[in-house]
Amino acid sequence: MSEAAKHFDVVVIGGGAAGLMCALTAGDRGRRVLVLDHANRVGKKILMSGGGRCNFTNMYCEPENFISANPHFVKSALSRYSQWDFIALVDKHGIPYHEKKLGQLFCDHSSKDIVRMLLDECAAAGVAVRTDTPVTDVETGTPHRLQAGAEAIACESLVIATGGYSIPRMGATGFGLDLARSLGLPVQPTRPALVPFTLSGRPLEELEGLSGVALDTVTTAGGMGFRENLLFTHRGLSGPAVLQASSYWEEGQAVAIDLFPGIDLAAHLRELREQRPKLELKSVLGEQLTRRVAQRWCELWVENRALEHLSNADIEQVVAACQPWTVWPAGTEGYRTAEVTLGGVDTAALSSKTMECRTIPGLYFIGEVVDVTGHLGGHNFQWAWASGHAAGEYA
Ligand code: FDA
């Protein structure tokens, strides 16, 4: 590497949510900061998030909304830069937003507002941002040295904010994880999360024609259940309940889907059998499941008939097909569509206060590259902001 390296106080590799927040925070402290991104623009995932409206945080964000081998790790950063701090920044820039549901805050207009806000803050803090710049040859030390395109760069603090594997076509790479491994740092096993399930063979055939139907469910995998909508797709199951459950699912496990959340279906059917004996099973199920799904459930599991002709054993059979409906996914749609990567740089290697690596001074890991994965609903961005801010205060 060239001796005439250009020197910065802080270099942030990755201009996504975490990297830009870290850069503007360090810049505000008067640090000379450079952000490097190999993509042709920064914040691509912010732009595509929330259907183009970026669910930028969640009003009810708590440590319980995160998955990590060490569930306590997130507490320090989240408490020092909370959802209210980010909301204050959004307010300062006059960006209009609304709560969609469950505390999820979305831009009224466009995700572009959030990227513009971060870049304006970076500019005000004197941060240099370079796109189309692949980084190679990272050497940690005092200073750290790296090759950015044709340029040799040296820096006191090096921040890795390159995210996870999800959506490679948006510029996702395993750069940060590979770097961590090459430096001997522990990495928790990774897999796609917040991702649709795929079905194959008979289970998929049984659902043919239901694609596009959404149902209110409690969907449970790996012991965690989520009350949200499930969506039938051409290839399997999606929707917020399924995406949430996917983060807790491991290959080969079953997923339990309560199609009548909050209702004792057996008692409900017995009661209706007394009160309205001529009512058809299909109609009763259809109130909750939609007509199409109710019809299919009757074809598959319990023949449609008037409730007066349903025995208690029949009722048990209906309940067995609905409460829960048990599904064995063939797999997931993988990193191609996963919103996040589960696992990552082991938090045991990092300070929860500063995000600095315990064994390599001046090296920081933030955002999704770290073994912290949020629930759906703005929590992943809140982790990016909070961890980025934590590192930006010390880098
Ligand atoms: P992020 O992936 O944002 O940024 C990493 C940056 O590093 C990128 O700019 C990339 O180009 C760059 N990079 C990668 N490799 C590099 C290399 N080798 N050299 C240089 N640069 C490199 N979350 C949420 O809270 N609310 C939401 O609404 C959504 N919606 C959503 C939709 C979709 C479709 C996806 C895929 C994801 C979401 N998410 C989300 C998740 C959220 O986008 C994600 O958790 C954060 O973007 C993670 O921020 P990071 O900064 O850690 O990584």
PDB file of all heavy atoms in Angstrom, residues 13-19 36-39 43 45 48-50 54-55 133 135 161-163 167 171 173 175 338-340 366-368 378-381 384, ligand 1:
ATOM      1  N   ILE A  13     -16.905   2.261   6.259  1.00  0.00           N
ATOM      2  CA  ILE A  13     -17.149   1.481   5.038  1.00  0.00           C
ATOM      3  C   ILE A  13     -18.617   1.059   5.054  1.00  0.00           C
ATOM      4  O   ILE A  13     -19.059   0.335   5.950  1.00  0.00           O
ATOM      5  CB  ILE A  13     -16.234   0.244   4.944  1.00  0.00           C
ATOM      6  CG1 ILE A  13     -14.764   0.661   5.117  1.00  0.00           C
ATOM      7  CG2 ILE A  13     -16.439  -0.449   3.604  1.00  0.00           C
ATOM      8  CD1 ILE A  13     -13.782  -0.499   4.987  1.00  0.00           C
ATOM      9  N   GLY A  14     -19.372   1.539   4.066  1.00  0.00           N
ATOM     10  CA  GLY A  14     -20.806   1.242   3.994  1.00  0.00           C
ATOM     11  C   GLY A  14     -21.632   2.480   4.299  1.00  0.00           C
ATOM     12  O   GLY A  14     -21.683   2.938   5.434  1.00  0.00           O
ATOM     13  N   GLY A  15     -22.258   3.026   3.261  1.00  0.00           N
ATOM     14  CA  GLY A  15     -23.092   4.221   3.443  1.00  0.00           C
ATOM     15  C   GLY A  15     -24.565   3.873   3.502  1.00  0.00           C
ATOM     16  O   GLY A  15     -25.376   4.418   2.757  1.00  0.00           O
ATOM     17  N   GLY A  16     -24.897   2.949   4.378  1.00  0.00           N
ATOM     18  CA  GLY A  16     -26.310   2.633   4.619  1.00  0.00           C
ATOM     19  C   GLY A  16     -26.787   3.394   5.847  1.00  0.00           C
ATOM     20  O   GLY A  16     -26.187   4.416   6.236  1.00  0.00           O
ATOM     21  N   ALA A  17     -27.841   2.890   6.451  1.00  0.00           N
ATOM     22  CA  ALA A  17     -28.447   3.576   7.595  1.00  0.00           C
ATOM     23  C   ALA A  17     -27.445   3.748   8.734  1.00  0.00           C
ATOM     24  O   ALA A  17     -27.257   4.864   9.253  1.00  0.00           O
ATOM     25  CB  ALA A  17     -29.660   2.767   8.063  1.00  0.00           C
ATOM     26  N   ALA A  18     -26.782   2.667   9.113  1.00  0.00           N
ATOM     27  CA  ALA A  18     -25.867   2.733  10.254  1.00  0.00           C
ATOM     28  C   ALA A  18     -24.646   3.584   9.926  1.00  0.00           C
ATOM     29  O   ALA A  18     -24.228   4.428  10.736  1.00  0.00           O
ATOM     30  CB  ALA A  18     -25.438   1.318  10.649  1.00  0.00           C
ATOM     31  N   GLY A  19     -24.091   3.377   8.742  1.00  0.00           N
ATOM     32  CA  GLY A  19     -22.870   4.094   8.374  1.00  0.00           C
ATOM     33  C   GLY A  19     -23.082   5.598   8.304  1.00  0.00           C
ATOM     34  O   GLY A  19     -22.254   6.380   8.805  1.00  0.00           O
ATOM     35  N   LEU A  36     -17.257   5.423   2.583  1.00  0.00           N
ATOM     36  CA  LEU A  36     -16.969   4.754   1.305  1.00  0.00           C
ATOM     37  C   LEU A  36     -18.052   3.731   1.025  1.00  0.00           C
ATOM     38  O   LEU A  36     -18.406   2.932   1.904  1.00  0.00           O
ATOM     39  CB  LEU A  36     -15.626   4.020   1.399  1.00  0.00           C
ATOM     40  CG  LEU A  36     -14.391   4.890   1.619  1.00  0.00           C
ATOM     41  CD1 LEU A  36     -13.188   4.004   1.950  1.00  0.00           C
ATOM     42  CD2 LEU A  36     -14.107   5.730   0.368  1.00  0.00           C
ATOM     43  N   ASP A  37     -18.586   3.733  -0.177  1.00  0.00           N
ATOM     44  CA  ASP A  37     -19.577   2.715  -0.539  1.00  0.00           C
ATOM     45  C   ASP A  37     -19.280   2.237  -1.958  1.00  0.00           C
ATOM     46  O   ASP A  37     -18.968   3.037  -2.837  1.00  0.00           O
ATOM     47  CB  ASP A  37     -20.998   3.284  -0.458  1.00  0.00           C
ATOM     48  CG  ASP A  37     -22.023   2.167  -0.270  1.00  0.00           C
ATOM     49  OD1 ASP A  37     -22.120   1.273  -1.151  1.00  0.00           O
ATOM     50  OD2 ASP A  37     -22.722   2.186   0.758  1.00  0.00           O
ATOM     51  N   HIS A  38     -19.393   0.950  -2.167  1.00  0.00           N
ATOM     52  CA  HIS A  38     -19.114   0.431  -3.512  1.00  0.00           C
ATOM     53  C   HIS A  38     -20.300   0.610  -4.467  1.00  0.00           C
ATOM     54  O   HIS A  38     -20.156   0.506  -5.669  1.00  0.00           O
ATOM     55  CB  HIS A  38     -18.693  -1.043  -3.441  1.00  0.00           C
ATOM     56  CG  HIS A  38     -19.803  -1.971  -3.059  1.00  0.00           C
ATOM     57  ND1 HIS A  38     -19.798  -3.298  -3.386  1.00  0.00           N
ATOM     58  CD2 HIS A  38     -20.951  -1.760  -2.378  1.00  0.00           C
ATOM     59  CE1 HIS A  38     -20.877  -3.877  -2.924  1.00  0.00           C
ATOM     60  NE2 HIS A  38     -21.597  -2.962  -2.305  1.00  0.00           N
ATOM     61  N   ALA A  39     -21.472   0.895  -3.915  1.00  0.00           N
ATOM     62  CA  ALA A  39     -22.660   1.059  -4.763  1.00  0.00           C
ATOM     63  C   ALA A  39     -22.650   2.440  -5.424  1.00  0.00           C
ATOM     64  O   ALA A  39     -21.867   3.318  -5.049  1.00  0.00           O
ATOM     65  CB  ALA A  39     -23.918   0.889  -3.928  1.00  0.00           C
ATOM     66  N   GLY A  43     -27.483   4.513   0.809  1.00  0.00           N
ATOM     67  CA  GLY A  43     -28.824   4.351   1.382  1.00  0.00           C
ATOM     68  C   GLY A  43     -29.826   3.635   0.502  1.00  0.00           C
ATOM     69  O   GLY A  43     -31.027   3.889   0.591  1.00  0.00           O
ATOM     70  N   LYS A  45     -30.999   0.639   0.617  1.00  0.00           N
ATOM     71  CA  LYS A  45     -32.028  -0.129   1.339  1.00  0.00           C
ATOM     72  C   LYS A  45     -33.033   0.792   2.015  1.00  0.00           C
ATOM     73  O   LYS A  45     -34.195   0.444   2.181  1.00  0.00           O
ATOM     74  CB  LYS A  45     -31.383  -1.060   2.361  1.00  0.00           C
ATOM     75  CG  LYS A  45     -30.983  -2.358   1.745  1.00  0.00           C
ATOM     76  CD  LYS A  45     -30.776  -3.436   2.770  1.00  0.00           C
ATOM     77  CE  LYS A  45     -30.069  -4.573   2.092  1.00  0.00           C
ATOM     78  NZ  LYS A  45     -29.421  -5.453   3.058  1.00  0.00           N
ATOM     79  N   MET A  48     -35.564   1.605  -0.686  1.00  0.00           N
ATOM     80  CA  MET A  48     -36.527   0.563  -1.059  1.00  0.00           C
ATOM     81  C   MET A  48     -37.392   0.126   0.128  1.00  0.00           C
ATOM     82  O   MET A  48     -38.371  -0.598  -0.053  1.00  0.00           O
ATOM     83  CB  MET A  48     -35.803  -0.643  -1.666  1.00  0.00           C
ATOM     84  CG  MET A  48     -35.149  -1.548  -0.647  1.00  0.00           C
ATOM     85  SD  MET A  48     -34.156  -2.867  -1.392  1.00  0.00           S
ATOM     86  CE  MET A  48     -35.369  -3.714  -2.362  1.00  0.00           C
ATOM     87  N   SER A  49     -37.048   0.571   1.327  1.00  0.00           N
ATOM     88  CA  SER A  49     -37.729   0.052   2.516  1.00  0.00           C
ATOM     89  C   SER A  49     -39.157   0.567   2.630  1.00  0.00           C
ATOM     90  O   SER A  49     -39.503   1.613   2.071  1.00  0.00           O
ATOM     91  CB  SER A  49     -36.952   0.453   3.765  1.00  0.00           C
ATOM     92  OG  SER A  49     -37.039   1.841   3.949  1.00  0.00           O
ATOM     93  N   GLY A  50     -39.941  -0.201   3.360  1.00  0.00           N
ATOM     94  CA  GLY A  50     -41.313   0.220   3.663  1.00  0.00           C
ATOM     95  C   GLY A  50     -42.116   0.547   2.418  1.00  0.00           C
ATOM     96  O   GLY A  50     -42.890   1.504   2.418  1.00  0.00           O
ATOM     97  N   CYS A  54     -40.231   3.960   3.790  1.00  0.00           N
ATOM     98  CA  CYS A  54     -39.327   3.754   4.922  1.00  0.00           C
ATOM     99  C   CYS A  54     -40.012   3.765   6.292  1.00  0.00           C
ATOM    100  O   CYS A  54     -40.358   4.817   6.819  1.00  0.00           O
ATOM    101  CB  CYS A  54     -38.202   4.808   4.922  1.00  0.00           C
ATOM    102  SG  CYS A  54     -36.957   4.475   6.162  1.00  0.00           S
ATOM    103  N   ASN A  55     -40.157   2.590   6.825  1.00  0.00           N
ATOM    104  CA  ASN A  55     -40.643   2.465   8.210  1.00  0.00           C
ATOM    105  C   ASN A  55     -39.411   2.708   9.089  1.00  0.00           C
ATOM    106  O   ASN A  55     -38.709   1.789   9.467  1.00  0.00           O
ATOM    107  CB  ASN A  55     -41.220   1.049   8.389  1.00  0.00           C
ATOM    108  CG  ASN A  55     -41.651   0.746   9.785  1.00  0.00           C
ATOM    109  OD1 ASN A  55     -41.862  -0.409  10.128  1.00  0.00           O
ATOM    110  ND2 ASN A  55     -41.793   1.765  10.621  1.00  0.00           N
ATOM    111  N   THR A 133     -16.998   3.156  -4.920  1.00  0.00           N
ATOM    112  CA  THR A 133     -15.623   2.975  -4.450  1.00  0.00           C
ATOM    113  C   THR A 133     -15.484   1.658  -3.695  1.00  0.00           C
ATOM    114  O   THR A 133     -15.782   1.579  -2.503  1.00  0.00           O
ATOM    115  CB  THR A 133     -15.218   4.157  -3.523  1.00  0.00           C
ATOM    116  OG1 THR A 133     -15.532   5.382  -4.185  1.00  0.00           O
ATOM    117  CG2 THR A 133     -13.747   4.114  -3.189  1.00  0.00           C
ATOM    118  N   VAL A 135     -13.715  -1.209  -1.617  1.00  0.00           N
ATOM    119  CA  VAL A 135     -12.620  -1.189  -0.645  1.00  0.00           C
ATOM    120  C   VAL A 135     -11.913  -2.540  -0.661  1.00  0.00           C
ATOM    121  O   VAL A 135     -12.559  -3.586  -0.633  1.00  0.00           O
ATOM    122  CB  VAL A 135     -13.157  -0.903   0.769  1.00  0.00           C
ATOM    123  CG1 VAL A 135     -12.040  -1.016   1.805  1.00  0.00           C
ATOM    124  CG2 VAL A 135     -13.803   0.468   0.817  1.00  0.00           C
ATOM    125  N   ALA A 161     -19.681  -0.913   8.356  1.00  0.00           N
ATOM    126  CA  ALA A 161     -21.147  -0.742   8.347  1.00  0.00           C
ATOM    127  C   ALA A 161     -21.692  -1.285   7.031  1.00  0.00           C
ATOM    128  O   ALA A 161     -22.538  -0.672   6.386  1.00  0.00           O
ATOM    129  CB  ALA A 161     -21.495   0.736   8.508  1.00  0.00           C
ATOM    130  N   THR A 162     -21.189  -2.462   6.645  1.00  0.00           N
ATOM    131  CA  THR A 162     -21.519  -2.985   5.311  1.00  0.00           C
ATOM    132  C   THR A 162     -22.749  -3.892   5.298  1.00  0.00           C
ATOM    133  O   THR A 162     -23.057  -4.500   4.266  1.00  0.00           O
ATOM    134  CB  THR A 162     -20.306  -3.743   4.722  1.00  0.00           C
ATOM    135  OG1 THR A 162     -19.769  -4.585   5.738  1.00  0.00           O
ATOM    136  CG2 THR A 162     -19.248  -2.783   4.250  1.00  0.00           C
ATOM    137  N   GLY A 163     -23.466  -3.992   6.429  1.00  0.00           N
ATOM    138  CA  GLY A 163     -24.729  -4.729   6.434  1.00  0.00           C
ATOM    139  C   GLY A 163     -24.538  -6.236   6.301  1.00  0.00           C
ATOM    140  O   GLY A 163     -23.430  -6.763   6.480  1.00  0.00           O
ATOM    141  N   ILE A 167     -30.540  -9.256  -0.041  1.00  0.00           N
ATOM    142  CA  ILE A 167     -30.733  -8.539  -1.310  1.00  0.00           C
ATOM    143  C   ILE A 167     -29.398  -8.170  -1.975  1.00  0.00           C
ATOM    144  O   ILE A 167     -29.011  -6.997  -2.042  1.00  0.00           O
ATOM    145  CB  ILE A 167     -31.632  -7.284  -1.157  1.00  0.00           C
ATOM    146  CG1 ILE A 167     -32.729  -7.521  -0.139  1.00  0.00           C
ATOM    147  CG2 ILE A 167     -32.136  -6.828  -2.509  1.00  0.00           C
ATOM    148  CD1 ILE A 167     -34.063  -7.893  -0.658  1.00  0.00           C
ATOM    149  N   GLY A 171     -26.611  -4.453  -3.632  1.00  0.00           N
ATOM    150  CA  GLY A 171     -25.239  -4.139  -3.209  1.00  0.00           C
ATOM    151  C   GLY A 171     -24.805  -4.821  -1.935  1.00  0.00           C
ATOM    152  O   GLY A 171     -23.732  -4.518  -1.397  1.00  0.00           O
ATOM    153  N   THR A 173     -23.156  -7.403   0.467  1.00  0.00           N
ATOM    154  CA  THR A 173     -22.023  -8.330   0.348  1.00  0.00           C
ATOM    155  C   THR A 173     -21.706  -8.886   1.733  1.00  0.00           C
ATOM    156  O   THR A 173     -22.177  -8.370   2.743  1.00  0.00           O
ATOM    157  CB  THR A 173     -20.748  -7.615  -0.148  1.00  0.00           C
ATOM    158  OG1 THR A 173     -20.313  -6.703   0.873  1.00  0.00           O
ATOM    159  CG2 THR A 173     -20.981  -6.865  -1.446  1.00  0.00           C
ATOM    160  N   PHE A 175     -18.847  -8.593   2.987  1.00  0.00           N
ATOM    161  CA  PHE A 175     -17.557  -7.928   3.246  1.00  0.00           C
ATOM    162  C   PHE A 175     -17.229  -7.857   4.746  1.00  0.00           C
ATOM    163  O   PHE A 175     -16.160  -8.258   5.183  1.00  0.00           O
ATOM    164  CB  PHE A 175     -17.589  -6.517   2.639  1.00  0.00           C
ATOM    165  CG  PHE A 175     -16.337  -5.730   2.870  1.00  0.00           C
ATOM    166  CD1 PHE A 175     -15.281  -5.781   1.963  1.00  0.00           C
ATOM    167  CD2 PHE A 175     -16.195  -4.933   4.008  1.00  0.00           C
ATOM    168  CE1 PHE A 175     -14.123  -5.059   2.182  1.00  0.00           C
ATOM    169  CE2 PHE A 175     -15.027  -4.210   4.233  1.00  0.00           C
ATOM    170  CZ  PHE A 175     -14.000  -4.269   3.321  1.00  0.00           C
ATOM    171  N   ALA A 338     -34.998 -11.757   1.572  1.00  0.00           N
ATOM    172  CA  ALA A 338     -35.000 -11.568   3.034  1.00  0.00           C
ATOM    173  C   ALA A 338     -34.736 -10.102   3.367  1.00  0.00           C
ATOM    174  O   ALA A 338     -33.874  -9.474   2.764  1.00  0.00           O
ATOM    175  CB  ALA A 338     -33.929 -12.443   3.667  1.00  0.00           C
ATOM    176  N   GLU A 339     -35.469  -9.585   4.354  1.00  0.00           N
ATOM    177  CA  GLU A 339     -35.227  -8.190   4.731  1.00  0.00           C
ATOM    178  C   GLU A 339     -33.938  -8.044   5.519  1.00  0.00           C
ATOM    179  O   GLU A 339     -33.317  -6.992   5.513  1.00  0.00           O
ATOM    180  CB  GLU A 339     -36.400  -7.649   5.555  1.00  0.00           C
ATOM    181  CG  GLU A 339     -37.546  -7.211   4.689  1.00  0.00           C
ATOM    182  CD  GLU A 339     -38.502  -6.260   5.379  1.00  0.00           C
ATOM    183  OE1 GLU A 339     -38.159  -5.691   6.427  1.00  0.00           O
ATOM    184  OE2 GLU A 339     -39.606  -6.102   4.847  1.00  0.00           O
ATOM    185  N   VAL A 340     -33.567  -9.087   6.232  1.00  0.00           N
ATOM    186  CA  VAL A 340     -32.366  -8.986   7.072  1.00  0.00           C
ATOM    187  C   VAL A 340     -31.614 -10.312   7.140  1.00  0.00           C
ATOM    188  O   VAL A 340     -32.119 -11.355   6.747  1.00  0.00           O
ATOM    189  CB  VAL A 340     -32.715  -8.551   8.520  1.00  0.00           C
ATOM    190  CG1 VAL A 340     -33.040  -7.082   8.606  1.00  0.00           C
ATOM    191  CG2 VAL A 340     -33.831  -9.397   9.080  1.00  0.00           C
ATOM    192  N   ILE A 366     -21.004  -1.923  13.185  1.00  0.00           N
ATOM    193  CA  ILE A 366     -22.326  -1.369  13.523  1.00  0.00           C
ATOM    194  C   ILE A 366     -23.393  -1.876  12.540  1.00  0.00           C
ATOM    195  O   ILE A 366     -23.076  -2.328  11.436  1.00  0.00           O
ATOM    196  CB  ILE A 366     -22.313   0.183  13.499  1.00  0.00           C
ATOM    197  CG1 ILE A 366     -21.849   0.703  12.126  1.00  0.00           C
ATOM    198  CG2 ILE A 366     -21.453   0.737  14.618  1.00  0.00           C
ATOM    199  CD1 ILE A 366     -21.993   2.212  11.970  1.00  0.00           C
ATOM    200  N   GLY A 367     -24.635  -1.767  12.955  1.00  0.00           N
ATOM    201  CA  GLY A 367     -25.758  -2.095  12.064  1.00  0.00           C
ATOM    202  C   GLY A 367     -25.953  -3.589  11.921  1.00  0.00           C
ATOM    203  O   GLY A 367     -25.680  -4.391  12.814  1.00  0.00           O
ATOM    204  N   GLU A 368     -26.410  -3.954  10.733  1.00  0.00           N
ATOM    205  CA  GLU A 368     -26.846  -5.330  10.488  1.00  0.00           C
ATOM    206  C   GLU A 368     -25.703  -6.344  10.460  1.00  0.00           C
ATOM    207  O   GLU A 368     -25.932  -7.548  10.631  1.00  0.00           O
ATOM    208  CB  GLU A 368     -27.606  -5.358   9.151  1.00  0.00           C
ATOM    209  CG  GLU A 368     -28.443  -6.588   8.960  1.00  0.00           C
ATOM    210  CD  GLU A 368     -29.169  -6.564   7.621  1.00  0.00           C
ATOM    211  OE1 GLU A 368     -29.663  -5.494   7.218  1.00  0.00           O
ATOM    212  OE2 GLU A 368     -29.227  -7.626   6.988  1.00  0.00           O
ATOM    213  N   GLY A 378     -39.731  -1.449  11.835  1.00  0.00           N
ATOM    214  CA  GLY A 378     -38.910  -0.260  12.087  1.00  0.00           C
ATOM    215  C   GLY A 378     -37.782  -0.509  13.076  1.00  0.00           C
ATOM    216  O   GLY A 378     -36.952   0.366  13.316  1.00  0.00           O
ATOM    217  N   HIS A 379     -37.747  -1.701  13.677  1.00  0.00           N
ATOM    218  CA  HIS A 379     -36.741  -1.984  14.702  1.00  0.00           C
ATOM    219  C   HIS A 379     -35.344  -2.131  14.098  1.00  0.00           C
ATOM    220  O   HIS A 379     -34.356  -1.771  14.734  1.00  0.00           O
ATOM    221  CB  HIS A 379     -37.126  -3.236  15.479  1.00  0.00           C
ATOM    222  CG  HIS A 379     -38.477  -3.126  16.123  1.00  0.00           C
ATOM    223  ND1 HIS A 379     -38.712  -2.311  17.202  1.00  0.00           N
ATOM    224  CD2 HIS A 379     -39.674  -3.686  15.808  1.00  0.00           C
ATOM    225  CE1 HIS A 379     -39.985  -2.402  17.544  1.00  0.00           C
ATOM    226  NE2 HIS A 379     -40.599  -3.216  16.694  1.00  0.00           N
ATOM    227  N   ASN A 380     -35.266  -2.648  12.874  1.00  0.00           N
ATOM    228  CA  ASN A 380     -33.926  -2.815  12.285  1.00  0.00           C
ATOM    229  C   ASN A 380     -33.286  -1.468  11.985  1.00  0.00           C
ATOM    230  O   ASN A 380     -32.094  -1.285  12.215  1.00  0.00           O
ATOM    231  CB  ASN A 380     -33.996  -3.719  11.053  1.00  0.00           C
ATOM    232  CG  ASN A 380     -34.092  -5.168  11.474  1.00  0.00           C
ATOM    233  OD1 ASN A 380     -33.169  -5.692  12.110  1.00  0.00           O
ATOM    234  ND2 ASN A 380     -35.221  -5.801  11.204  1.00  0.00           N
ATOM    235  N   PHE A 381     -34.087  -0.537  11.500  1.00  0.00           N
ATOM    236  CA  PHE A 381     -33.500   0.800  11.305  1.00  0.00           C
ATOM    237  C   PHE A 381     -33.150   1.422  12.653  1.00  0.00           C
ATOM    238  O   PHE A 381     -32.112   2.073  12.778  1.00  0.00           O
ATOM    239  CB  PHE A 381     -34.443   1.712  10.513  1.00  0.00           C
ATOM    240  CG  PHE A 381     -34.338   1.496   9.022  1.00  0.00           C
ATOM    241  CD1 PHE A 381     -35.477   1.432   8.235  1.00  0.00           C
ATOM    242  CD2 PHE A 381     -33.103   1.362   8.409  1.00  0.00           C
ATOM    243  CE1 PHE A 381     -35.378   1.222   6.861  1.00  0.00           C
ATOM    244  CE2 PHE A 381     -32.989   1.149   7.041  1.00  0.00           C
ATOM    245  CZ  PHE A 381     -34.134   1.082   6.266  1.00  0.00           C
ATOM    246  N   ALA A 384     -29.873   0.299  13.524  1.00  0.00           N
ATOM    247  CA  ALA A 384     -28.853   0.958  12.689  1.00  0.00           C
ATOM    248  C   ALA A 384     -28.555   2.361  13.227  1.00  0.00           C
ATOM    249  O   ALA A 384     -27.395   2.755  13.381  1.00  0.00           O
ATOM    250  CB  ALA A 384     -29.323   1.027  11.234  1.00  0.00           C
TER     251      ALA A 384
HETATM  252  P1  FDA B   1     -27.257  -1.457   4.812  1.00  0.00           P
HETATM  253  O1  FDA B   1     -27.431  -2.728   4.078  1.00  0.00           O
HETATM  254  O2  FDA B   1     -28.351  -0.488   4.867  1.00  0.00           O
HETATM  255  O3  FDA B   1     -25.991  -0.674   4.240  1.00  0.00           O
HETATM  256  C1  FDA B   1     -24.800  -1.320   3.920  1.00  0.00           C
HETATM  257  C2  FDA B   1     -24.064  -0.474   2.928  1.00  0.00           C
HETATM  258  O4  FDA B   1     -22.786  -1.042   2.728  1.00  0.00           O
HETATM  259  C3  FDA B   1     -24.738  -0.430   1.557  1.00  0.00           C
HETATM  260  O5  FDA B   1     -24.853   0.908   1.140  1.00  0.00           O
HETATM  261  C4  FDA B   1     -23.823  -1.246   0.665  1.00  0.00           C
HETATM  262  O6  FDA B   1     -23.796  -0.771  -0.669  1.00  0.00           O
HETATM  263  C5  FDA B   1     -22.495  -1.044   1.352  1.00  0.00           C
HETATM  264  N1  FDA B   1     -21.531  -2.113   1.117  1.00  0.00           N
HETATM  265  C6  FDA B   1     -21.750  -3.449   1.178  1.00  0.00           C
HETATM  266  N2  FDA B   1     -20.620  -4.110   0.888  1.00  0.00           N
HETATM  267  C7  FDA B   1     -19.670  -3.162   0.640  1.00  0.00           C
HETATM  268  C8  FDA B   1     -18.300  -3.228   0.278  1.00  0.00           C
HETATM  269  N3  FDA B   1     -17.686  -4.394   0.107  1.00  0.00           N
HETATM  270  N4  FDA B   1     -17.624  -2.063   0.108  1.00  0.00           N
HETATM  271  C9  FDA B   1     -18.253  -0.866   0.271  1.00  0.00           C
HETATM  272  N5  FDA B   1     -19.544  -0.757   0.588  1.00  0.00           N
HETATM  273  C10 FDA B   1     -20.244  -1.899   0.790  1.00  0.00           C
HETATM  274  N6  FDA B   1     -35.914  -2.116   8.298  1.00  0.00           N
HETATM  275  C11 FDA B   1     -36.731  -1.300   8.988  1.00  0.00           C
HETATM  276  O7  FDA B   1     -36.460  -1.007  10.150  1.00  0.00           O
HETATM  277  N7  FDA B   1     -37.857  -0.779   8.381  1.00  0.00           N
HETATM  278  C12 FDA B   1     -38.195  -1.071   7.094  1.00  0.00           C
HETATM  279  O8  FDA B   1     -39.177  -0.544   6.557  1.00  0.00           O
HETATM  280  C13 FDA B   1     -37.361  -1.976   6.384  1.00  0.00           C
HETATM  281  N8  FDA B   1     -37.694  -2.367   5.122  1.00  0.00           N
HETATM  282  C14 FDA B   1     -36.850  -3.168   4.415  1.00  0.00           C
HETATM  283  C15 FDA B   1     -37.183  -3.543   3.122  1.00  0.00           C
HETATM  284  C16 FDA B   1     -36.335  -4.344   2.386  1.00  0.00           C
HETATM  285  C17 FDA B   1     -36.731  -4.782   1.018  1.00  0.00           C
HETATM  286  C18 FDA B   1     -35.098  -4.758   2.956  1.00  0.00           C
HETATM  287  C19 FDA B   1     -34.128  -5.594   2.195  1.00  0.00           C
HETATM  288  C20 FDA B   1     -34.762  -4.399   4.263  1.00  0.00           C
HETATM  289  C21 FDA B   1     -35.636  -3.619   5.005  1.00  0.00           C
HETATM  290  N9  FDA B   1     -35.336  -3.264   6.318  1.00  0.00           N
HETATM  291  C22 FDA B   1     -36.190  -2.448   7.008  1.00  0.00           C
HETATM  292  C23 FDA B   1     -34.071  -3.677   6.952  1.00  0.00           C
HETATM  293  C24 FDA B   1     -33.055  -2.515   6.876  1.00  0.00           C
HETATM  294  O9  FDA B   1     -32.993  -2.060   5.534  1.00  0.00           O
HETATM  295  C25 FDA B   1     -31.676  -2.947   7.350  1.00  0.00           C
HETATM  296  O10 FDA B   1     -31.769  -3.536   8.623  1.00  0.00           O
HETATM  297  C26 FDA B   1     -30.735  -1.750   7.411  1.00  0.00           C
HETATM  298  O11 FDA B   1     -30.646  -1.159   6.140  1.00  0.00           O
HETATM  299  C27 FDA B   1     -29.366  -2.154   7.893  1.00  0.00           C
HETATM  300  O12 FDA B   1     -28.557  -1.010   7.859  1.00  0.00           O
HETATM  301  P2  FDA B   1     -26.991  -1.135   7.657  1.00  0.00           P
HETATM  302  O13 FDA B   1     -26.500   0.261   7.543  1.00  0.00           O
HETATM  303  O14 FDA B   1     -26.398  -2.011   8.695  1.00  0.00           O
HETATM  304  O15 FDA B   1     -26.798  -1.899   6.279  1.00  0.00           O
END
